[in-house]
């Protein structure tokens, strides 16, 4: 959530940056400023009236002590009006603060100055591309056919148990999945992240704190009886560990990682590009999260991007890094890098990670602060990234490493899988 003071002091810049994000309600900016004007004037009236009432109360007490009862009674007669005014101003202030809040939560985060303009994924900027795209043998298969051939994943059994988008991993497919999770966690710990195990359901306050709510409400599974949401990413519970917390400045950055299943309705997704592991309702992911000092958050974002790239390099996967354009960014992000791997059998790029800096957008909602060098509280910056999401990693590993005698497992995973081939 943006800070009202920043919106007031930087109206033109806010409108300019919202335009980069293709925000369709720029009039909200002026409405927010007008509501804040009303809030300020109402607060001033309340403060002045309360001060008058308090001064009068002291004066009445002094007059009563000195025997000037008639004069005290005369002043006391006015206190009823002050009490009524104070009650009215309090009611007005509560109403205008609620209206201001409702407008504020509709504004997305402002994109960083480096974010390119654009409306669709085609407008994203390719930052770099690394690795050689493999030349597959004749008769190479897409991952869903490889999964069936080697009995790694049973999509139909998942449909039977739950529905489409809930695959069942079997045999070496299940072992490969577990190996990747352990590999990603171990690599994160080597990079200084502390592993946490978190709940798979969160309350509304948690969803709001990391800006999934109200923006992505329709994409989250909801448990009506308990008012809980199944998590779309471990970012939500991990970041919310620090809701309403004041941290020590010297403890920053705080680095956590965690593995969880993730649940997404993916409403409206259809077509050939959602086949197999390309788009699921339930999938596993290792998430990295940092709470950082504002002065270092963009340096940390680059470090997180490098960490994800290092994982892809160790797995031997060709990849590219994209800087997302304004129209393709998330609601709460100030800058996002997407990492995509090359699917050799499908002949297209598949997104496997997003790494984002939210600056103070989440921390303002979370009331996540730290004490700076002057001892004053200040909003921290929050960052997170997939390191990595498993389904499309599994898809590209299977497709890119297929040979006439089977599927070769990357060397980095062999200590975890305990096998070097899937045949």
């Amino acid at each position: 959530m943006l800070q009202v003071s920043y919106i007031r002091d930087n109206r033109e810049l806010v409108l300019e940056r919202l335009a980069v994000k293709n925000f369709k309600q720029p009039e909200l900016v002026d409405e927010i400023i007008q509501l804040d004007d009303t809030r300020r004037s109402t607060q001033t009236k309340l403060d002045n009236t309360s001060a008058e009432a308090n001064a009068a109360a002291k004066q009445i007490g002094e007059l009563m002590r000195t025997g000037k009862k008639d004069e005290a009674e005369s002043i006391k007669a006015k206190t009823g009006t002050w009490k009524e005014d104070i009650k009215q101003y309090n009611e007005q202030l509560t109403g205008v603060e609620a209206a201001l809040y409702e407008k504020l939560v509709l504004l997305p985060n402002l994109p960083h100055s480096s974010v390119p303009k654009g409306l669709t994924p085609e407008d994203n900027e390719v930052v770099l591309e690394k690795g050689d795209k493999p030349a597959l043998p004749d008769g190479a298969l897409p991952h869903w056919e490889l999964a069936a051939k080697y009995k790694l994943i049973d999509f139909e059994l998942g449909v039977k148990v739950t529905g489409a988008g809930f695959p069942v991993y079997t045999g070496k497919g299940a072992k490969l999945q577990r190996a990747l999770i352990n590999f990603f966690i171990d690599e994160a710990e080597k990079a200084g992240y502390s592993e946490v195990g978190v709940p798979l359901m969160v309350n509304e306050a948690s969803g709001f704190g990391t800006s999934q709510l109200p923006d992505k409400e329709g994409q989250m599974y909801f448990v009506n009886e308990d008012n809980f949401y199944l998590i779309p990413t471990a970012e939500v519970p991990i970041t919310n560990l620090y809701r309403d917390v004041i941290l020590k400045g010297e403890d920053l950055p705080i680095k956590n990682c965690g593995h969880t299943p993730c649940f997404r309705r993916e409403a409206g997704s259809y077509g050939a590009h959602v086949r197999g592991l390309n788009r699921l309702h339930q999938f596993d992911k290792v998430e990295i999260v940092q709470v950082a000092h504002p002065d270092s958050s963009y340096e940390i974002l680059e470090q997180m991007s490098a960490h994800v790239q290092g994982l892809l390099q160790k797995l031997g996967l060709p990849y590219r890094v994209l800087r997302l354009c304004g129209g393709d960014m998330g609601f709460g992000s100030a800058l996002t890098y997407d990492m995509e791997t090359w699917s050799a059998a499908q002949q297209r790029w598949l997104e496997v990670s997003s790494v984002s800096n939210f600056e103070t957008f989440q921390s303002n909602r979370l009331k996540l602060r730290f004490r700076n060098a002057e001892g004053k509280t200040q909003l921290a910056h929050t960052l997170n990234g997939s390191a990595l999401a498993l389904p499309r990693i599994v898809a590209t590993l299977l497709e890119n490493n297929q040979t006439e005698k089977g599927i070769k497992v990357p060397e980095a995973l062999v200590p975890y899988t305990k096998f070097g081939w899937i045949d």
Side-chain angles (χ1 to χ4, degrees):
M1 186 165 63
L2 298 178
Q3 295 174 275
V4 179
S5 58
Y6 185 87
I7 296 171
R8 289 186 66 92
D9 296 342
N10 302 275
R11 176 183 176 276
E12 295 304 321
L13 177 62
V14 169
L15 288 170
E16 174 190 315
R17 301 315 297 164
L18 287 175
V20 173
K21 224 168 189 179
N22 299 293
F23 184 60
K24 303 301 183 185
Q25 296 176 275
E27 67 278 2
L28 280 178
V29 172
D30 286 332
E31 291 175 13
I32 286 169
I33 294 173
Q34 289 165 8
L35 283 168
D36 191 48
D37 286 339
T38 304
R39 181 192 65 79
R40 289 179 173 212
S41 64
T42 305
Q43 184 70 63
T44 299
K45 292 174 184 176
L46 174 61
D47 292 344
N48 290 341
T49 305
S50 298
E52 285 185 64
N54 291 334
K58 292 179 182 178
Q59 188 179 7
I60 291 168
E62 184 63 29
L63 290 170
M64 292 295 285
R65 279 192 297 273
T66 57
K68 299 176 181 179
K69 185 176 180 181
D70 290 343
E71 192 174 343
E73 290 296 333
S74 175
I75 296 174
K76 191 183 292 187
K78 300 176 183 178
T79 60
T81 301
W82 284 325
K83 287 180 181 178
E84 187 59 37
D85 287 345
I86 289 171
K87 178 183 178 183
Q88 182 180 359
Y89 291 144
N90 269 315
E91 291 174 351
Q92 290 174 0
L93 190 61
T94 298
V96 74
E97 286 177 341
L100 177 60
Y101 181 81
E102 288 175 2
K103 301 286 186 183
L104 273 174
V105 299
L106 298 176
L107 284 185
N109 200 3
L110 303 180
H112 186 262
S113 59
S114 67
V115 171
K117 293 182 179 180
L119 295 171
T120 67
E122 286 69 33
D123 299 316
N124 293 335
E125 174 189 344
V126 178
V127 177
L128 62 87
E129 185 174 324
K130 283 194 174 182
D132 298 323
K133 297 176 181 178
L136 297 184
D138 292 338
L141 302 174
H143 69 269
W144 52 87
E145 293 187 26
L146 291 168
K149 178 178 179 180
Y150 294 105
K151 296 181 172 56
L152 305 175
I153 306 168
D154 194 321
F155 293 102
E156 293 306 316
L157 196 55
V159 172
K160 172 186 175 181
V161 173
T162 307
F166 296 89
V168 173
Y169 296 84
T170 59
K172 286 188 174 180
K175 293 182 186 298
L176 178 62
Q177 177 98 336
R178 179 157 46 87
L180 283 164
I181 292 166
N182 290 335
F183 170 64
F184 294 152
I185 289 288
D186 284 354
E187 291 297 309
E189 290 187 325
K190 289 177 187 176
Y193 291 89
S194 297
E195 184 180 4
V196 292
V198 290
L200 303 184
M201 291 189 286
V202 294
N203 55 32
E204 185 176 354
S206 293
F208 175 79
T210 45
S211 68
Q212 274 71 30
L213 297 176
D215 180 54
K216 296 181 176 65
E217 189 168 12
Q219 291 295 341
M220 296 171 69
Y221 287 102
F222 182 59
V223 182
N224 290 283
E225 293 80 359
D226 301 299
N227 293 324
F228 291 156
Y229 292 86
L230 274 72
I231 62 168
T233 166
E235 163 205 344
V236 183
I238 294 177
T239 310
N240 270 278
L241 296 176
Y242 302 96
R243 175 155 41 97
D244 297 319
V245 170
I246 299 177
L247 300 165
K248 296 178 182 178
E250 57 267 29
D251 291 339
L252 299 179
I254 291 175
K255 304 169 70 173
N256 285 323
C257 66
H259 155 248
T260 66
C262 302
F263 305 90
R264 300 183 185 181
R265 293 187 61 241
E266 297 290 2
S269 297
Y270 59 90
H273 287 177
V274 303
R275 192 167 181 184
L277 296 173
N278 289 345
R279 195 173 296 277
L280 301 175
H281 295 303
Q282 177 182 324
F283 60 93
D284 285 84
K285 180 156 68 79
V286 172
E287 191 80 358
I288 52 175
V289 175
Q290 291 207 40
V291 180
H293 192 289
D295 293 347
S296 58
S297 68
Y298 278 96
E299 179 183 350
I300 287 172
L301 179 67
E302 298 301 324
Q303 292 170 3
M304 294 172 74
S305 171
H307 175 75
V308 175
Q309 293 180 54
L311 298 177
L312 297 172
Q313 291 167 15
K314 288 177 180 179
L315 292 175
L317 293 172
Y319 69 91
R320 68 179 185 178
V321 179
L322 306 177
R323 181 184 285 111
L324 297 194
C325 70
D328 198 34
M329 288 176 64
F331 183 83
S333 174
L335 177 60
T336 296
Y337 291 121
D338 270 7
M339 284 70 169
E340 299 180 334
T341 56
W342 177 251
S343 167
Q346 298 178 70
Q347 288 290 294
R348 67 188 189 95
W349 293 100
L350 299 177
E351 179 198 332
V352 293
S353 175
S354 285
V355 182
S356 300
N357 188 349
F358 292 84
E359 296 186 353
T360 61
F361 193 80
Q362 291 181 334
S363 59
N364 191 29
R365 292 177 171 222
L366 294 161
K367 301 296 183 286
L368 166 52
R369 295 157 289 170
F370 69 97
R371 291 199 184 278
N372 60 26
E374 291 74 39
K376 296 180 180 179
T377 59
Q378 182 178 346
L379 290 173
H381 280 195
T382 60
L383 305 93
N384 66 63
S386 315
L388 287 157
L390 270 70
R392 295 169 187 165
I393 289 291
V394 171
T396 52
L397 283 177
L398 296 181
E399 292 181 2
N400 294 8
N401 294 313
Q402 61 182 301
T403 71
E404 293 178 352
K405 64 176 184 176
I407 300 169
K408 189 173 183 354
V409 175
E411 289 297 325
L413 289 182
V414 173
Y416 296 91
T417 58
K418 309 302 181 188
F419 54 82
W421 286 87
I422 297 173
D423 50 24

mmCIF file of all heavy atoms in Angstrom, residues 20-22 116-120 123 325-328:
data_model
loop_
_atom_site.group_PDB
_atom_site.id
_atom_site.type_symbol
_atom_site.label_atom_id
_atom_site.label_comp_id
_atom_site.label_asym_id
_atom_site.label_seq_id
_atom_site.Cartn_x
_atom_site.Cartn_y
_atom_site.Cartn_z
ATOM 1 N N VAL A 20 2.703 3.946 -16.386
ATOM 2 C CA VAL A 20 3.597 2.888 -16.861
ATOM 3 C C VAL A 20 2.996 1.519 -16.554
ATOM 4 O O VAL A 20 3.137 0.574 -17.324
ATOM 5 C CB VAL A 20 4.992 3.030 -16.214
ATOM 6 C CG1 VAL A 20 5.881 1.834 -16.553
ATOM 7 C CG2 VAL A 20 5.651 4.322 -16.663
ATOM 8 N N LYS A 21 2.286 1.427 -15.418
ATOM 9 C CA LYS A 21 1.659 0.178 -15.029
ATOM 10 C C LYS A 21 0.267 0.016 -15.644
ATOM 11 O O LYS A 21 -0.459 -0.923 -15.327
ATOM 12 C CB LYS A 21 1.564 0.077 -13.507
ATOM 13 C CG LYS A 21 1.959 -1.304 -12.983
ATOM 14 C CD LYS A 21 2.151 -1.303 -11.486
ATOM 15 C CE LYS A 21 2.757 -2.635 -11.052
ATOM 16 N NZ LYS A 21 2.986 -2.700 -9.594
ATOM 17 N N ASN A 22 -0.101 0.956 -16.515
ATOM 18 C CA ASN A 22 -1.388 0.901 -17.224
ATOM 19 C C ASN A 22 -2.568 0.856 -16.260
ATOM 20 O O ASN A 22 -3.560 0.161 -16.501
ATOM 21 C CB ASN A 22 -1.427 -0.306 -18.177
ATOM 22 C CG ASN A 22 -0.346 -0.228 -19.242
ATOM 23 O OD1 ASN A 22 -0.383 0.636 -20.108
ATOM 24 N ND2 ASN A 22 0.637 -1.107 -19.143
ATOM 25 N N PRO A 116 10.155 -1.154 -18.132
ATOM 26 C CA PRO A 116 9.754 -0.681 -19.462
ATOM 27 C C PRO A 116 8.246 -0.540 -19.587
ATOM 28 O O PRO A 116 7.488 -1.232 -18.907
ATOM 29 C CB PRO A 116 10.271 -1.777 -20.400
ATOM 30 C CG PRO A 116 10.339 -3.004 -19.552
ATOM 31 C CD PRO A 116 10.652 -2.540 -18.161
ATOM 32 N N LYS A 117 7.823 0.375 -20.451
ATOM 33 C CA LYS A 117 6.404 0.505 -20.739
ATOM 34 C C LYS A 117 5.964 -0.682 -21.591
ATOM 35 O O LYS A 117 6.755 -1.261 -22.335
ATOM 36 C CB LYS A 117 6.125 1.806 -21.481
ATOM 37 C CG LYS A 117 6.361 3.055 -20.651
ATOM 38 C CD LYS A 117 6.025 4.310 -21.444
ATOM 39 C CE LYS A 117 6.244 5.558 -20.599
ATOM 40 N NZ LYS A 117 5.927 6.794 -21.346
ATOM 41 N N GLY A 118 4.702 -1.030 -21.499
ATOM 42 C CA GLY A 118 4.184 -2.134 -22.294
ATOM 43 C C GLY A 118 2.918 -2.684 -21.696
ATOM 44 O O GLY A 118 2.598 -2.426 -20.526
ATOM 45 N N LEU A 119 2.200 -3.467 -22.497
ATOM 46 C CA LEU A 119 0.909 -3.986 -22.070
ATOM 47 C C LEU A 119 0.898 -5.493 -21.877
ATOM 48 O O LEU A 119 0.162 -6.010 -21.048
ATOM 49 C CB LEU A 119 -0.165 -3.610 -23.112
ATOM 50 C CG LEU A 119 -0.466 -2.126 -23.285
ATOM 51 C CD1 LEU A 119 -1.374 -1.926 -24.497
ATOM 52 C CD2 LEU A 119 -1.109 -1.547 -22.044
ATOM 53 N N THR A 120 1.710 -6.218 -22.639
ATOM 54 C CA THR A 120 1.625 -7.680 -22.674
ATOM 55 C C THR A 120 3.004 -8.295 -22.464
ATOM 56 O O THR A 120 4.029 -7.595 -22.513
ATOM 57 C CB THR A 120 1.078 -8.149 -24.033
ATOM 58 O OG1 THR A 120 2.046 -7.849 -25.058
ATOM 59 C CG2 THR A 120 -0.241 -7.453 -24.369
ATOM 60 N N ASP A 123 6.004 -7.379 -24.533
ATOM 61 C CA ASP A 123 6.700 -6.110 -24.311
ATOM 62 C C ASP A 123 7.761 -6.202 -23.214
ATOM 63 O O ASP A 123 8.427 -5.210 -22.909
ATOM 64 C CB ASP A 123 5.688 -5.019 -23.937
ATOM 65 C CG ASP A 123 4.669 -4.777 -25.040
ATOM 66 O OD1 ASP A 123 5.073 -4.711 -26.214
ATOM 67 O OD2 ASP A 123 3.462 -4.668 -24.729
ATOM 68 N N CYS A 325 7.514 -5.702 -18.140
ATOM 69 C CA CYS A 325 6.991 -4.378 -18.456
ATOM 70 C C CYS A 325 5.868 -4.018 -17.475
ATOM 71 O O CYS A 325 5.361 -4.868 -16.735
ATOM 72 C CB CYS A 325 6.485 -4.329 -19.893
ATOM 73 S SG CYS A 325 4.976 -5.302 -20.195
ATOM 74 N N GLY A 326 5.469 -2.763 -17.483
ATOM 75 C CA GLY A 326 4.458 -2.287 -16.546
ATOM 76 C C GLY A 326 3.157 -3.056 -16.600
ATOM 77 O O GLY A 326 2.555 -3.359 -15.564
ATOM 78 N N GLY A 327 2.720 -3.419 -17.798
ATOM 79 C CA GLY A 327 1.437 -4.089 -17.942
ATOM 80 C C GLY A 327 1.449 -5.549 -17.574
ATOM 81 O O GLY A 327 0.389 -6.163 -17.423
ATOM 82 N N ASP A 328 2.640 -6.153 -17.393
ATOM 83 C CA ASP A 328 2.741 -7.582 -17.077
ATOM 84 C C ASP A 328 3.201 -7.824 -15.647
ATOM 85 O O ASP A 328 3.402 -8.958 -15.243
ATOM 86 C CB ASP A 328 3.714 -8.256 -18.055
ATOM 87 C CG ASP A 328 3.550 -9.776 -18.095
ATOM 88 O OD1 ASP A 328 2.409 -10.251 -17.937
ATOM 89 O OD2 ASP A 328 4.553 -10.479 -18.282
#
